[in-house]
Amino acid sequence: MAGGAFVDSGVGAKDYPGKLTLYVFLSCVVAATGGLIFGYDIGISGGVTSMDSFLKKFFPSVYDKEQADTETNQYCKFDSQLLTTFTSSLYLAALISSFFAATVTRVFGRKWSMFGGGITFLMGAALNGFAKNVLMLIFGRILLGVGVGFANQSVPVYLSEMAPARLRGMLNIGFQLMITIGILAANLINYGTSKIKGGWGWRVSLALAAVPAGIITIGSLFLPDTPNSLIDRGHDEAARKMLHRIRGTDDIDEEYNDLVAASNDSKLVEHPWSNILRPKYRAQLTMAIMIPFFQQLTGINVIMFYAPVLFKTIGFGSDASLISAVITGLVNVFATLVSVFTVDKFGRRKLFLQGGSQMLVCQIVVGTMIAIKLGTSGEGSFGKTYAGFLVAFICLYVAGFAWSWGPLGWLVPSEIFPLEIRSAGQSINVSVNMLFTFIIAQAFLSMLCHFKFALFYFFGGWVFIMTTFIAFFLPETKNVPIEEMILVWKAHWFWGRYIADSDIHVGKNFEMANSKAKNVDV
C-alpha cells in the first residue's frame, strides 16, 4: 500500500482554455453570499442564548439556574434540552429541506434554489425578531433551516460549475469565506445589542438575519445559469453562449463537448438516488457521507455555536465572553483567506492534513488547560493570563479548521460528482452535514456537563481518525475539470477497483489514466 494513497491529480486531466473573467468573479461573489445566512445564524445563536434578557423571557429555568449560585458546576450551568432545541431545530429542518432542494436545483436551475432559500430565511428572520413565545421562536428557526438547506445545496455546486478548473478551489471557498464573515458580523452585532437597555437587544440580533437573506434573495435574481445546468435542461445554444462569456475565449469547443457528453450520460439515469449506490460511485458516495460527518466531529460547532456561552461557562464575564467570540470570529475570517489563496496551489490534501494536525494539538491543550483549573468538579476560575492562553489556543484551533475542514468540507464534495448524480450527491452532503450539526448542537451542552474537559479529548480523537482517513482515501482533486474527476478515482490505489473501463467516457486521456492506475501499488 506504500505510496498508493498519493495519486497525482494531474492524471488524464485537461486544461481547458479560458481565464477568470470579471463576469465569473462577480457571479461567484454574489452566489457565495448564500453563505452569509448560514454563518450569521451560527454566530447569532450562541450570542443570543448568552443574553440574560433572552434567557429570562424564553428559558427562565436556565436563567434561574445561572443566577442561583455563582459557585455552581461551571460545566452544567446551561444544560437545557429546550435551549438546545432552539438552536438545533434549524439543522433538522435544513436536513429535510435539502432533499427537496435537490429537485429544485436540478429541474429549475441553481439560482432559483438560492432564491427560494433566501425568501424562506427572510420569513424566519421576521418571525424570530417578533417572537412572543418559544413555539414561535422554534417555528421561525425551522423556516431559517429550510433557507439554509436550499442555499447550502445549491451554492457550492453553482460555484464549482462556474469556476475554471484551475481556480475552482479559490472561488468555491468564497462560500466558506462568507460563512465566516456572517459569523463575525453576528458576533459584533451580539456585542452591540447586548448593551441595549430595556432587554430587547436579542430581537435586533435575530431580526437582522433579514439583511443577509435579502442580499442572496435579490442577488440570485441577477445570477446567470451555469452552462452545466442549461445543457442539462435542454438549452444547448444558451449554454454555449454562456460558456463563451464566462471563459472569455472563443476556444470553448472541447469543454462544451465534454459538458454535452456528461449531460447525455446523465439523461440515461432515470433514478439518481438509486443510481448513486452503484459501485462506480462508491468513492463519491463515501466522501459525501464521511467528509460532512467528520467536519461536524472536529468540534468546531462547540466553539462557533456556543462561543459566548462556552467562554461564559468556563468563567469569563458576559462582556469578556462576547469579546472572545469576536476574536475567534476574526481569526476564522483571516484564516479562511489563507485557504482562498493556497488551495489551488498546494492542493486539498495538504491543507486537510496540516489543519487536522494543528486542530488535534489544540484540542489536547485546551482540554488539559480546562482540566487543570476546573477538574472534574467544575469548580474554579481562570486568571487573566491563563484565560488569554486558553483563548490563544482556541484561536489556533479555529485557524486550523478555517483553512482546512471548514472550506474543504464544502469544496471537495461539490466538485467530485458527475452531472447525473450531482444534485443527489450534494443533497446527501448537506443532509449528513445538517444531521450531525443537529446532533452535536442538541447534545453539546449535555455532553459538556457529563464529559467535562474530556469533551475536547473526545473531539480530538475524531480529528485523529479523520486526518488518517484523508491521508489514505482522498486523492488530490485540484485543477481537475469536474467532468473528468472520474479519472482521479480510477487512478487511486483503493477506489480504482470499483470503476470499470466501460464506466469512463471522457475520451482520449483515459488510456493514460488507466495505464497509471495499473501501476499503482495496492
Side-chain angles (χ1 to χ4, degrees):
M1 191 168 69
F6 307 100
V7 179
D8 183 5
S9 65
V11 173
K14 299 176 184 175
D15 184 15
Y16 297 123
K19 58 187 178 181
L20 176 60
T21 62
L22 181 63
Y23 187 67
V24 166
F25 179 75
L26 292 177
S27 296
C28 287
V29 168
V30 172
T33 59
L36 285 175
I37 62 176
F38 190 30
Y40 186 85
D41 181 79
I42 290 173
I44 219 70
S45 302
V48 164
T49 52
S50 72
M51 294 182 188
D52 288 344
S53 57
F54 178 82
L55 292 175
K56 197 182 299 183
K57 181 172 180 62
F58 296 107
F59 307 99
S61 62
V62 177
Y63 176 77
D64 292 342
K65 187 177 180 181
E66 181 189 2
Q67 297 299 312
D69 184 2
T70 56
E71 296 301 319
T72 190
N73 186 328
Q74 298 285 357
Y75 293 120
C76 300
K77 290 173 77 171
F78 290 88
D79 184 16
S80 164
Q81 284 303 305
L82 189 59
L83 180 61
T84 51
T85 298
F86 161 72
T87 299
S88 59
S89 57
L90 179 147
Y91 303 99
L92 191 60
L95 186 163
I96 296 169
S97 67
S98 66
F99 291 103
F100 296 98
T103 301
V104 174
T105 302
R106 186 179 70 253
V107 176
F108 299 104
R110 287 57 168 145
K111 62 179 287 183
W112 293 113
S113 189
M114 294 181 220
F115 177 79
I119 284 289
T120 314
F121 199 89
L122 203 57
M123 294 164 58
L127 205 57
N128 272 355
F130 292 99
K132 301 292 185 185
N133 51 54
V134 173
L135 186 63
M136 194 172 173
L137 203 61
I138 291 176
F139 186 65
R141 294 283 296 169
I142 290 171
L143 289 177
L144 295 178
V146 173
V148 166
F150 271 76
N152 287 11
Q153 204 281 338
S154 53
V155 172
V157 170
Y158 182 91
L159 295 173
S160 287
E161 290 181 344
M162 287 292 281
R166 60 185 174 275
L167 295 173
R168 186 174 61 243
M170 180 186 77
L171 292 175
N172 189 287
I173 288 176
F175 177 67
Q176 177 67 17
L177 181 62
M178 290 294 179
I179 291 177
T180 64
I181 291 172
I183 293 171
L184 176 60
N187 287 335
L188 290 169
I189 288 168
N190 278 334
Y191 181 71
T193 57
S194 68
K195 304 293 185 184
I196 296 177
K197 294 180 179 179
W200 50 271
W202 60 268
R203 290 193 183 275
V204 178
S205 291
L206 294 178
L208 282 177
V211 175
I215 292 172
I216 185 58
T217 301
I218 296 171
S220 64
L221 295 174
F222 297 95
L223 288 177
D225 272 318
T226 68
N228 314 60
S229 178
L230 287 168
I231 291 172
D232 201 37
R233 291 183 285 128
H235 305 297
D236 289 16
E237 192 54 39
R240 179 180 281 276
K241 290 179 181 177
M242 181 56 63
L243 192 60
H244 175 268
R245 186 171 186 183
I246 66 176
R247 296 294 178 254
T249 179
D250 293 326
D251 189 9
I252 59 168
D253 288 344
E254 187 176 24
E255 184 174 5
Y256 177 78
N257 291 335
D258 283 346
L259 292 177
V260 170
S263 179
N264 290 337
D265 283 346
S266 75
K267 289 172 183 174
L268 300 175
V269 178
E270 293 182 12
H271 306 290
W273 289 103
S274 58
N275 198 64
I276 203 171
L277 299 175
R278 294 176 60 187
K280 68 176 181 177
Y281 302 126
R282 187 72 47 82
Q284 294 96 322
L285 180 60
T286 301
M287 294 302 162
I289 293 172
M290 298 308 294
I291 287 179
F293 167 73
F294 283 143
Q295 187 190 49
Q296 296 313 308
L297 285 170
T298 58
I300 188 63
N301 287 336
V302 171
I303 304 298
M304 291 306 172
F305 283 163
Y306 299 107
V309 172
L310 178 63
F311 287 127
K312 196 173 181 181
T313 296
I314 58 180
F316 289 57
S318 183
D319 277 359
S321 70
L322 286 169
I323 291 171
S324 299
V326 170
I327 292 170
T328 56
L330 280 167
V331 171
N332 201 14
V333 171
F334 285 107
T336 302
L337 282 171
V338 171
S339 67
V340 168
F341 295 109
T342 59
V343 68
D344 291 314
K345 181 179 180 181
F346 298 124
R348 285 65 161 149
R349 283 175 48 83
K350 287 182 180 177
L351 292 181
F352 263 132
L353 297 175
Q354 191 284 326
S357 301
Q358 183 170 319
M359 286 190 292
L360 175 58
V361 171
C362 291
Q363 290 276 30
I364 294 171
V365 171
V366 169
T368 302
M369 289 183 71
I370 292 176
I372 291 170
K373 286 295 183 181
L374 300 185
T376 56
S377 67
E379 304 282 341
S381 60
F382 296 86
K384 190 172 289 186
T385 302
Y386 200 91
F389 276 109
L390 185 63
V391 171
F393 276 101
I394 287 176
C395 286
L396 283 172
Y397 163 80
V398 170
F401 176 86
W403 59 55
S404 62
W405 280 93
L408 301 181
W410 294 106
L411 167 60
V412 172
S414 74
E415 68 182 0
I416 61 176
F417 282 100
L419 186 61
E420 63 266 25
I421 55 169
R422 190 166 300 154
S423 292
Q426 183 64 9
S427 286
I428 291 172
N429 176 45
V430 173
S431 62
V432 172
N433 191 300
M434 293 301 141
L435 173 62
F436 284 95
T437 305
F438 170 79
I439 291 171
I440 295 298
Q442 189 70 23
F444 164 64
L445 291 178
S446 180
M447 288 173 70
L448 180 62
C449 184
H450 292 90
F451 279 46
K452 303 176 173 58
F453 62 85
L455 182 60
F456 294 91
Y457 298 154
F458 170 80
F459 286 119
W462 279 107
V463 170
F464 175 78
I465 292 169
M466 65 186 73
T467 303
T468 304
F469 174 84
I470 293 295
F472 287 98
F473 295 105
L474 181 69
E476 184 54 67
T477 58
K478 72 170 183 177
N479 301 333
V480 181
I482 295 180
E483 310 309 340
E484 293 204 346
M485 201 64 71
I486 192 172
L487 299 178
V488 176
W489 300 112
K490 179 62 177 175
H492 190 264
W493 70 275
F494 181 79
W495 302 117
R497 71 191 67 183
Y498 296 105
I499 304 171
D501 292 356
S502 58
D503 292 329
I504 302 178
H505 307 287
V506 292
K508 299 176 182 178
N509 290 320
F510 166 59
E511 286 78 9
M512 186 188 347
N514 193 34
S515 64
K516 285 197 177 185
K518 290 176 181 175
N519 292 326
V520 174
D521 177 17
V522 297

